Amino acid sequence: MSTTLVKNSALRSALRPTAPTAAKRAALTLTATRGKATLPDLPYDYGALEPAISGKIMELHHSKHHNTYVTSYNAASEKMAEAVQKGDITAQIATQPLINFHGGGHTNHTLFWENLAPKSSGGGEPPSGPLGQSIDKHFGSLDAMKENFNAALAGIQGSGWAWLVQDNQTGALQIKTYANQDPVVGQFHPVLGIDAWEHAYYLQYENRKAEYFKNIWDVINWKAADKRFK
Amino acid sequence: MAYTLPRLPYSYDALEPHFDKETMEIHHSRHHQTYVNSLNAALEGSELSSLAVDEVITKLDQVPAEKRTAVRNHGGGHSNHSFFWKNLKTGTTLSGDLKAAIENGFGGFENFQQQFEKAATTVFGSGWAWLVKTDGGLKIVTTHNQDSPLMGEAVAGTSGFPIIGLDVWEHAYYLKYRNKRPDYIKAYWEVVNWDEASARFTQSG
């Protein structure tokens, strides 16, 4: 009887040649529950937003810049998890800026691709419904809002973003600028964002950023903004 | 007295293939020119405009509050880029007192290079990496946007007299290097002007 049991358990082990050790199993579980960030696919071709944004820029922006934020965020995230496991507070604090920067970069760009669309899919079509009405209420008109928005973009020093945001308490709309890859968090949530980093336009517009700010409205996906408006 | 765009001491293609002609031309004739124009506008009618830009940026507290950001950004931009063009030249060699100081201060030139490259690579967004001379010796520091170590700790988060400096704003490298900032930083070693750096090192006492 005991021999049969031994044989069966030996057989069972043999049938699982790659069965993880206890330590490895724990590590796999940690990785799975940590939820790695991944680069989202674009819902349109790289060239689909021309002539407002060139295909060359879209390809670099998505497959290089955004992808780097994803991989760097994952690396920083792992470092943070290790530091938390070890109870190393100094290391956690030292890693936090990397999480903010790369996590913010990933968040911002994911929202950005969603709020862009080719003209054939409604890019540039003005918002209707509650968002459209709220814009008229807060800014007077869509054109007035765009002027405000572009002024904010032009005023950004160095790298950053401008966002149409909604106040989580009052529901009011506002235009705010954020430095580097700081995400919209806290009192506000993002409705519509435009990337003002030089990499977002330089190959096509060089230093003529006002031209980029003017043209990008042709490919703004107001339908995505509508969904974010509460 | 209006600030003016300094002429480059070389042609736009002089730093090829490391720094490309197109970038040099746009960087100098458009970006730096814009800093000059904007600085003139911000300081119009102000007594401060009679001072050299490197001095103005140490006196930001004397600028009226509503103009201060503009003077910081555009004065910083004018100062930094004026320094940058002189800081570039092919075919120079690090030697003499500066070489000794770098080797002693950083445990060898390779270590210095690695640390400088790391600093330049890890600037978040727009800014500069610098080798500065301080009372405590040579240091590698970074500044945000168009801040300069000359502005001092309270404004720029750091201080010191610039010996060499590298612009890591994307406009400084995007046309040739795209997103590959590390490649641009490596190319910098081919064009950093060690003659100018040595002169500045000696001059700063």
Side-chain angles (χ1 to χ4, degrees):
Chain A
M1 180 104 151
S2 54
T3 337
T4 320
L5 279 169
V6 167
K7 223 175 25 178
N8 282 345
S9 76
L11 203 61
R12 248 172 296 162
S13 302
L15 285 171
R16 290 187 315 232
T18 54
T21 60
K24 274 195 206 160
R25 228 180 293 132
L28 283 169
T29 315
L30 275 172
T31 312
T33 54
R34 208 176 292 138
K36 279 193 161 203
T38 54
L39 182 69
D41 286 330
L42 294 192
Y44 39 78
D45 289 338
Y46 286 138
L49 303 182
E50 295 198 350
I53 308 176
S54 73
K56 208 163 37 158
I57 287 183
M58 287 304 293
E59 181 170 3
L60 277 166
H61 205 173
H62 177 254
S63 71
K64 302 279 188 236
H65 289 273
H66 187 173
N67 197 47
T68 301
Y69 289 123
V70 170
T71 54
S72 302
Y73 165 74
N74 286 332
S77 198
E78 268 189 49
K79 249 176 124 176
M80 180 63 88
E82 277 167 35
V84 168
Q85 260 205 324
K86 288 184 200 155
D88 186 342
I89 300 179
T90 317
Q92 288 170 46
I93 294 172
T95 308
Q96 193 59 50
L98 292 169
I99 301 255
N100 292 350
F101 186 63
H102 297 295
H106 175 40
T107 304
N108 289 338
H109 287 85
T110 301
L111 292 168
F112 188 45
W113 311 134
E114 284 169 7
N115 68 223
L116 295 172
K119 284 188 184 173
S120 55
S121 312
E125 269 171 36
S128 52
L131 175 56
Q133 285 163 23
S134 188
I135 286 174
D136 287 344
K137 175 177 156 208
H138 287 97
F139 299 97
S141 68
L142 182 63
D143 280 344
M145 192 281 294
K146 284 188 198 174
E147 255 186 65
N148 227 295
F149 203 112
N150 286 355
L153 282 165
I156 292 172
Q157 288 300 319
S159 308
W161 293 69
W163 292 89
L164 180 66
V165 300
Q166 190 175 16
D167 189 304
N168 291 325
Q169 287 168 0
T170 67
L173 288 176
Q174 207 179 331
I175 291 164
K176 287 175 72 68
T177 57
Y178 289 73
N180 294 338
Q181 294 297 351
D182 292 351
V184 181
V185 291
Q187 190 183 344
F188 305 100
H189 71 265
V191 175
L192 178 74
I194 293 181
D195 190 350
W197 279 63
E198 285 173 329
H199 66 238
Y201 61 86
Y202 209 80
L203 289 183
Q204 182 177 358
Y205 294 94
E206 291 162 354
N207 69 314
R208 301 182 310 271
K209 53 184 181 177
E211 221 178 286
Y212 159 69
F213 298 148
K214 177 167 165 281
N215 291 348
I216 196 173
W217 292 103
D218 290 344
V219 290
I220 288 295
N221 181 13
W222 282 107
K223 292 186 216 160
D226 278 333
K227 289 197 198 127
R228 296 172 191 159
F229 182 72
K230 297 196 179 134
Chain B
M1 180 184 105
Y3 297 97
T4 55
L5 180 69
R7 291 189 60 204
L8 290 195
Y10 40 77
S11 60
Y12 287 133
D13 63 358
L15 306 174
E16 287 267 9
H18 316 291
F19 282 15
D20 60 298
K21 177 182 174 196
E22 209 187 346
T23 295
M24 290 301 292
E25 182 165 1
I26 297 174
H27 203 174
H28 176 254
S29 70
R30 298 205 222 149
H31 288 273
H32 189 176
Q33 181 71 71
T34 302
Y35 287 123
V36 170
N37 297 344
S38 303
L39 178 62
N40 283 331
L43 283 182
E44 199 178 334
S46 166
E47 279 174 14
L48 290 168
S49 66
S50 63
L51 300 173
V53 66
D54 283 2
E55 204 183 333
V56 169
I57 61 175
T58 66
K59 295 179 155 70
L60 289 174
D61 54 339
Q62 292 178 31
V63 178
E66 73 274 10
K67 300 275 189 194
R68 199 167 297 152
T69 303
V71 177
R72 175 183 179 173
N73 291 329
H74 304 300
H78 179 35
S79 168
N80 290 340
H81 288 84
S82 300
F83 160 78
F84 192 47
W85 310 133
K86 290 189 278 199
N87 169 71
L88 301 172
K89 188 180 182 180
T90 53
T92 65
T93 313
L94 176 62
S95 60
D97 289 345
L98 179 56
K99 179 167 193 249
I102 286 177
E103 286 171 346
N104 290 334
F106 296 96
F109 183 72
E110 273 79 34
N111 277 353
F112 158 71
Q113 269 186 315
Q114 267 177 40
Q115 286 184 46
F116 190 93
E117 286 172 15
K118 186 171 178 212
T121 305
T122 54
V123 171
F124 285 170
S126 307
W128 291 70
W130 308 87
L131 174 68
V132 295
K133 188 161 176 217
T134 70
D135 290 339
L138 289 173
K139 290 204 173 109
I140 294 168
V141 299
T142 59
T143 54
H144 188 51
N145 287 353
Q146 291 299 349
D147 284 349
S148 162
L150 295 173
M151 293 175 182
E153 193 91 31
V155 173
T158 190
S159 61
F161 182 70
I163 303 296
I164 67 170
L166 179 59
D167 188 351
V168 291
W169 282 61
E170 287 175 326
H171 66 239
Y173 60 90
Y174 210 81
L175 293 181
K176 181 181 172 79
Y177 292 98
R178 307 284 200 252
N179 62 307
K180 293 175 295 210
R181 194 198 285 184
D183 289 357
Y184 161 70
I185 295 167
K186 282 252 183 276
Y188 174 63
W189 299 119
E190 308 298 325
V191 296
V192 63
N193 186 352
W194 290 119
D195 296 342
E196 173 73 11
S198 283
R200 292 177 70 93
F201 182 68
T202 314
Q203 155 207 346
S204 59

